[in-house]
Amino acid sequence: MSTTALVGHLPGGQDLTSFIGRRRELADGRDLMSRSRLLTLVGPGGVGKTRLSMELASRSRKGFHDGVWFVELAALEDGSLIGSQVATALRLADQSNRAPLDRLADFLRDRQLLLVLDNCEHLLDAVAAVASQLLDLAPGLRILATSREPLAIFGEQVYTVPPLAAPDEATLGEGSLEAFDSVRLLADRARSVDPNFEIAEDNRRAVGQLCQRLDGIPLAIELAASRLRSLSVAQLVERLDKRFDLLTGGSRVAIPRQQTLRALVDWSYELCTPAERTLWARLTVFPGGFDLEAAEEVCGFGDISSGEVLDLLDHLVAKSLVLSERSGGSASQGGNRQRYRQLFTFREYGAELLDALGETQELRRRQRDHYLDRAARMVATWCGPDQAERLAAARRDHANLLSALDWSASTPGEELAGTRLAALLRYHWHAGGNLSDGRRWLDRMLALTTEPTAERGEALWAGAWISLVQGEKSAAAGYLAECRHVAGLRNDALLNGQADHWDGLLHLFSGDLGPAIRMFKDAIAAQRAAGDTMSALIATFHLAWAQAFAGPEEARAGLEACRAAIVESRELGELWAKAYAHWVSGLCLRHLGDLDSALQAHVRALEIERDFLDGICTALTMDDVAWTLATLKHYKEAATAHHAARAVWKGFGTSVAAFGPHLEGDKDATAVLLKRELGADRFEAIGVETGEPTEAKAIDIALELVRAVTAPAQPKQPRAVRDVKPDGGRPPSGAAYRTPAGPALTKREFQIAGLVAEGRSNKDIAAELVVSPRTVDGHLENILAKLGFTSRTQVAAWYASQAV
């Protein structure tokens, strides 16, 4: 088993409201979890199954070495995709063409973790099959499921989640209402909308009646509390007499729980204005949640203008019909912004309303067009400073994107727009770690139409790109042959250049360096002529990649090409191709024998990937770090990097073999060398010590290893530097900034050089100087250019010599 624990993930935002009661349910649940590997919480919608499951999981974290992981199934419409949904929740990037369940089985086989499968009722048979298979293959796995019905498989322990305890008629006359969890929940939630709410003598009986007639169902109580901003408790009880006849009297025991929940939602519907009802229905077109821009553009038409959507959405949030939560990620990635979603029950109810309105097709088209426009903007602005934000937004909208593609593929006349969408999502498929989904949808769209349109041509080379990364060269060759044919029919020079580009990659991955280099050069010329800067940058680092293995003269040319690409990327604010260019720079440098500089190039690539997390670039770079450390005779460190790289490759289901014989040969040679020098037993023991870190952890491991072997001995700090303060204190003399024959460094550059000499990372430097890591990255590249250096080690040595 791995000795490195996974982080795990439970949805954020739940701690914004208090967890009321459930002491017995928590005790029962933990006891049952200790005795069964599959526990299913069952009960009516709104009874609190999800919240209880998350509380149980949170309190059980310490018992699971590899973490607890939450899998939300409410947005999933196709049971065959459950494996992919679980893989996504586990952050197991989907890069291979293997069946998701096979990859999951391999990933989970030796792990000890808890999966929380939430909202299983609409995919009952499929969830049961997946759960049964995974439990059979992964002995350390436990599953906590929530559903309106049991999964009905061998070994399942079923626990019925009861409503919260509510007062009966006898208690209404005397006794403490606060002893009942339902009353405590109502009071707590009421104070969130009215801080002055109190249970007093004049409302005591009404409070008890409200909780009683709502059967203690938490969701019903919370919905009622949300109306206390405008109604008294007594008024709510009066409305219950009109709206909730199914919830009163002894007959409620025999009423199906689904009908009980529908009565609750019907009541919520009656409390909405006509405009609120319409927006509620229209919002159901977003299976994966949505942001305000999407709601305004998709739902703002006809009776509701886009300008009215915000106020109406706010009303729905206030009524607990829509949940509002902060999106994840850093501010630079579009995080800390409000995002909205509907609970599954309300979305299901709203979909029926939408059908009744006759707007389903119109809304699906508008939703598809919205995400088509976003995808086009993503491609148009990808070569710029907003890459991380665009990618994070696409990741959040993944379910919406798949929904848009599905509607396009299944609606006559919409296939061409769907084909364009699938092609425009190319950076989401690649950088976002969704290659299998991309391949699936490109294949499906290309099968629906055969006309030689521009959209088809673009989809063909996008499909070739995915196929190559998945290691399927024959499929890529077929795509590219047709792409070149379409380019000829359309007399499209750029499309022909794209065919050259990916044909070049096919040759590179096949080991044919000469043809690859020629095709990359032809592609770059066509892409530059058409003004396609991003494609040209990608083709440039691909060209340099081929040149790195083609002899010293070509490797030097490749290094210069990478340097030019890095400069251009920096000027544009682009990071994705820049990270790859740094990795390929390291590839060129190690083939030229400058191993220290190669390591520093890899460090710069990994520092970018810390935030970007492109798994392919990370894995390729880490393989090179291992090779270089081994060549420098840092065998233990090299073995650690090698094993960490293997974990990254395993995480997204492809291998270095897909990327051609040269890189695969380097990887194999590294392993052979390390086993010989360390001994096979020690080599394997280091693998056990390293475990299977996440991609982010693997990056940190690699950076620490490189710093450990390249950090210079701590020199005595130059006296002049002590005067260079972050607050702008007096700098040393100009002579201390200048190389014998080079240009002067600025005060800030000299300060950063000093921090580099201390072995600080760009992130650490940014934190100390209160600037962004991107700013530090730019300063460091200016320092390297001014001093004529290629590595941080050279900067550190130069700095140490500058004492005044």
Side-chain angles (χ1 to χ4, degrees), residues 755-783:
L755 293 170
V756 169
E758 294 177 10
R760 306 282 195 91
S761 70
N762 285 12
K763 187 175 182 179
D764 293 338
I765 294 171
E768 177 157 334
L769 301 183
V770 197
V771 297
S772 70
R774 185 180 299 174
T775 298
V776 175
D777 188 47
H779 280 308
L780 184 56
E781 293 196 16
N782 288 337
I783 293 168

Side-chain angles (χ1 to χ4, degrees), residues 15 37 64 68 78 108 138 333 504 631-632 703 791:
D15 55 352
R37 293 178 58 214
F64 296 93
V68 295
D78 184 349
L108 295 171
Q333 296 177 333
T631 305
L632 289 168
L703 292 173
S791 74

Side-chain angles (χ1 to χ4, degrees), residues 140-185:
L141 172 67
R142 290 175 182 261
I143 293 177
L144 176 60
T146 73
S147 177
R148 296 183 191 179
E149 298 178 48
L151 300 187
I153 61 176
F154 181 78
E156 179 187 30
Q157 176 68 58
V158 178
Y159 183 73
T160 300
V161 180
L164 295 176
D168 56 19
E169 286 296 326
T171 310
L172 293 178
E174 58 183 359
S176 173
L177 290 182
E178 285 81 1
F180 293 93
D181 288 340
S182 59
V183 174
R184 292 172 52 215
L185 178 65

Side-chain angles (χ1 to χ4, degrees), residues 208-482:
Q209 287 179 324
L210 180 62
C211 293
Q212 181 194 55
R213 295 185 186 183
L214 291 177
D215 280 338
I217 295 177
L219 182 57
I221 292 169
E222 293 190 346
L223 285 168
S226 73
R227 299 304 295 175
L228 291 176
R229 71 177 74 234
S230 54
L231 297 173
S232 69
V233 181
Q235 286 175 309
L236 279 173
V237 172
E238 291 172 0
R239 297 180 78 88
L240 283 177
D241 287 335
K242 299 174 183 177
R243 306 293 185 230
F244 281 136
D245 55 313
L246 292 176
L247 292 173
T248 61
S251 62
R252 64 175 177 263
V253 176
I255 297 173
R257 293 186 184 275
Q258 174 62 37
Q259 294 179 19
T260 300
L261 182 59
R262 180 171 293 279
L264 173 61
V265 181
D266 282 340
W267 174 65
S268 301
Y269 172 77
E270 293 296 333
L271 292 176
C272 290
T273 66
E276 290 168 356
R277 296 173 188 174
T278 298
L279 182 61
W280 176 0
R282 291 178 179 179
L283 291 174
T284 63
V285 79
F286 299 107
F290 54 93
D291 55 30
L292 180 59
E293 179 190 7
E296 289 174 332
E297 292 189 5
V298 176
C299 301
F301 69 96
D303 294 339
I304 300 176
S305 70
S306 61
E308 295 175 301
V309 168
L310 175 58
D311 282 343
L312 292 171
L313 181 60
D314 182 59
H315 296 164
L316 294 178
V317 171
K319 294 175 180 177
S320 300
L321 297 172
V322 172
L323 299 183
S324 175
E325 52 199 8
R326 295 282 182 180
S327 58
S330 65
S332 64
Q333 296 177 333
N336 202 31
R337 296 171 65 88
Q338 289 300 121
R339 192 168 174 84
Y340 307 90
R341 65 184 177 89
Q342 293 177 308
L343 293 174
F344 177 73
T345 300
F346 294 120
R347 182 169 176 264
E348 184 179 67
Y349 186 90
E352 295 179 5
L353 299 178
L354 190 61
D355 287 340
L357 290 172
E359 293 183 344
T360 301
Q361 289 297 93
E362 172 69 11
L363 263 295
R364 294 298 299 270
R365 179 177 291 103
R366 292 178 68 89
Q367 189 251 25
R368 192 276 317 280
D369 288 347
H370 171 76
Y371 289 109
L372 181 59
D373 179 64
R374 281 199 176 182
R377 278 185 281 156
M378 183 180 186
V379 169
T381 61
W382 183 251
C383 195
D386 295 328
Q387 280 179 332
E389 180 177 349
R390 297 287 187 194
L391 187 61
R395 283 171 169 152
R396 290 191 294 269
D397 279 319
H398 186 70
N400 294 325
L401 295 170
L402 297 189
S403 174
L405 287 165
D406 182 64
W407 182 80
S408 300
S410 58
T411 304
E414 302 297 336
E415 301 88 352
L416 195 62
T419 301
R420 182 167 183 252
L421 176 58
L424 286 170
L425 289 172
R426 50 187 173 267
Y427 300 121
H428 175 58
W429 303 139
H430 286 266
N434 297 291
L435 286 177
S436 290
D437 277 338
R439 176 74 181 279
R440 184 180 305 115
W441 283 105
L442 284 163
D443 280 348
R444 183 174 175 183
M445 292 301 177
L446 287 169
L448 292 173
T449 61
T450 58
E451 294 297 314
T453 60
E455 291 85 353
R456 184 172 183 81
E458 194 169 7
L460 286 164
W461 68 257
W465 185 4
I466 291 177
S467 299
L468 287 169
V469 175
Q470 289 183 324
E472 297 187 19
K473 299 183 183 68
S474 60
Y479 283 132
L480 290 169
E482 186 181 352

Side-chain angles (χ1 to χ4, degrees), residues 589-704:
L589 284 164
R590 73 172 173 85
H591 280 88
L592 291 170
D594 189 351
L595 301 186
D596 288 337
S597 296
L599 279 179
Q600 294 307 318
H602 297 329
V603 164
R604 288 193 283 276
L606 291 175
E607 284 175 339
I608 293 174
E609 293 302 342
R610 247 178 174 169
D611 294 322
F612 217 86
L613 291 179
D614 180 314
I616 293 172
C617 185
T618 298
L620 292 170
T621 303
M622 290 189 64
D623 269 337
D624 249 34
V625 167
W627 189 98
T628 307
L629 288 173
T631 305
L632 289 168
K633 300 184 179 181
H634 298 293
Y635 299 123
K636 179 182 182 300
E637 292 82 358
T640 301
H642 175 85
H643 288 297
R646 301 281 68 72
V648 176
W649 282 116
K650 182 179 179 180
F652 51 76
T654 187
S655 73
V656 70
F659 297 84
H662 298 95
L663 292 180
E664 185 180 21
D666 286 347
K667 182 265 294 183
D668 291 342
T670 300
V672 169
L673 174 62
L674 292 174
K675 288 177 183 178
R676 185 182 71 218
E677 295 297 332
L678 293 170
D681 290 344
R682 178 61 179 145
F683 176 76
E684 296 301 333
I686 292 173
V688 173
E689 293 168 7
T690 304
E692 294 188 355
T694 63
E695 182 183 341
K697 180 60 178 176
I699 290 172
D700 287 340
I701 288 172
L703 292 173
E704 290 169 7

